Amino acid sequence: MMLQSLAAALIVAACAAYAVWTLMPAGARRGIALAVLKLPLPAALAGFMRRHAVPASGCGCDGCDQSALKAPRPGAQTIRIHRRLPKA
């Protein structure tokens, strides 16, 4: 019974940490990530913290639609949307 309670407590603690990290403002996450990066960390955790230590670009895309690595499919056409001009 003790092992089951310990496992449940660890799962609840991990879920609470995830919820706090996700709902925290980006500036606070960035500050915590910078502070944690000063500690010796495993490579996977250090990479995660480095990604969150840099400020975001301000948009959700970050240029993903203009990747140089991704070649357009044959026969694919780019769709451009233009605003209508007001009637004179």
Side-chain angles (χ1 to χ4, degrees):
M1 190 66 167
M2 177 70 171
L3 186 60
Q4 184 179 3
S5 297
L6 181 63
L10 289 175
I11 290 172
V12 169
C15 290
Y18 173 77
V20 167
W21 182 263
T22 303
L23 297 174
M24 188 182 304
R29 273 197 309 262
R30 191 170 32 259
I32 291 172
L34 287 171
V36 170
L37 277 173
K38 295 177 184 175
L39 302 172
L41 298 172
L45 186 58
F48 176 78
M49 288 297 170
R50 270 191 221 101
R51 280 195 309 269
H52 289 285
V54 294
S57 68
C59 71
C61 181
D62 294 333
C64 59
D65 59 336
Q66 300 175 1
S67 173
L69 301 176
K70 196 166 60 168
R73 291 183 306 184
Q77 296 179 346
T78 303
I79 297 174
R80 299 193 186 271
I81 300 173
H82 301 278
R83 290 186 359 210
R84 288 186 184 185
L85 295 174
K87 293 183 180 182

